[in-house]
Amino acid sequence: MMFIIWIKRIAGMSIFNLDIHTIIVLLVLGNIIAVIVLAAYKIGKTATTAYIEFITGKLFQGTAWALIGMRGNIPDIISANIGNTILLAGIALETLALITVNKNSRKWNYAYLFFALSGITAFWIFATTPNMRVAVSSLANCVFYLSASVEMIRSRGSSRLRLTLGILCGLLSFVLFLRSWYGFFSHTEFSLMTPGYVQSLTFLQAYSLMFIGGIGFLLMFK
């Protein structure tokens, strides 16, 4: 019954007036399905560090979106703080894996560890209101995607697939920056579920990149 309700919601949505909660549910399902598919693909085979990072990142994101999607039904400390902590860690692992899918890099491992710890620490210290939660989490994720975008685009010998993923990560980082700007400077409440063009673009791109990134990672891995 709930699945039918979600389908009806999606069918009635304008591309710029998305039901944020529905997209969050789809992000949970999409990431969990990706974990199952990726894990099944590697049964009986040795997984590289990047492969483990990518699967772990997807698992973290699925768990995080589930907690974030229950906002209002569970304590904010769990939904907002713990949920966003896991989300930041998951996106950091996924974008790091996209960069290092063919070659491990100690430089990027340390860089993303620093980015993740800085973002998580900033969230726990400064994200005390709905606006600041949106602002800090969006800015931290913007750093992850922008770093991945620059590296994938500028790398010598980048394939068309790698360039495409780099461009998509760059577009998402730009929208996340706008979302962060709204969080910092909006004079009205700008929270997780606030409707609007920036919100719709952010979640639509995140949802699209979830699938394209998963397929792209497997193709680059092969």
Side-chain angles (χ1 to χ4, degrees):
M1 181 61 71
M2 286 299 296
F3 180 75
I4 295 175
I5 293 173
W6 293 333
I7 293 297
K8 288 181 178 178
R9 282 185 181 180
I10 295 170
M13 286 190 295
S14 164
I15 191 170
F16 290 120
N17 188 30
L18 300 178
D19 182 82
I20 303 301
H21 186 265
T22 300
I23 299 301
I24 289 175
V25 171
L26 294 177
L27 285 169
V28 174
L29 295 176
N31 280 293
I32 296 303
I33 291 171
V35 170
I36 294 171
V37 171
L38 290 166
Y41 180 77
K42 271 297 178 182
I43 290 178
K45 303 175 184 177
T46 302
T48 64
T49 300
Y51 205 92
I52 295 171
E53 288 170 347
F54 196 82
I55 292 179
T56 305
K58 288 292 186 185
L59 180 60
F60 280 10
Q61 289 178 70
T63 303
W65 284 121
L67 294 176
I68 292 170
M70 289 188 282
R71 186 73 51 82
N73 297 311
I74 60 176
D76 278 359
I77 190 71
I78 298 176
S79 176
N81 293 70
I82 296 178
N84 276 282
T85 296
I86 299 172
L87 181 64
L88 291 172
I91 292 176
L93 285 170
E94 179 181 350
T95 47
L96 175 61
L98 287 173
I99 293 176
T100 61
V101 58
N102 297 126
K103 184 179 180 181
N104 192 29
S105 170
R106 182 175 295 181
K107 176 189 72 174
W108 281 113
N109 289 339
Y110 286 137
Y112 268 80
L113 177 61
F114 173 76
F115 294 155
L117 291 177
S118 299
I120 291 169
T121 301
F123 190 91
W124 279 84
I125 294 174
F126 300 110
T128 55
T129 65
N131 288 48
M132 288 300 291
R133 289 170 185 166
V134 169
V136 176
S137 63
S138 297
L139 187 59
N141 286 321
C142 173
V143 172
F144 298 148
Y145 285 111
L146 181 60
S147 300
S149 174
V150 171
E151 176 63 15
M152 286 192 284
I153 291 174
R154 77 171 187 84
S155 297
R156 292 183 179 180
S158 290
S159 63
R160 289 182 181 178
L161 174 60
R162 189 173 172 87
L163 287 172
T164 300
L165 287 175
I167 292 170
L168 291 175
C169 285
L171 290 174
L172 181 53
S173 69
F174 175 72
V175 176
L176 283 168
F177 178 78
L178 291 180
R179 187 171 184 260
S180 177
W181 180 275
Y182 272 89
F184 279 120
F185 300 109
S186 177
H187 297 296
T188 58
E189 182 176 298
F190 190 76
S191 63
L192 173 69
M193 299 296 178
T194 300
Y197 291 150
V198 172
Q199 288 277 73
S200 297
L201 283 173
T202 301
F203 281 94
L204 186 62
Q205 282 194 281
Y207 182 72
S208 301
L209 190 59
M210 177 184 67
F211 284 106
I212 297 172
I215 295 170
F217 177 81
L218 276 178
L219 291 175
M220 288 192 297
F221 183 79
K222 293 290 289 184

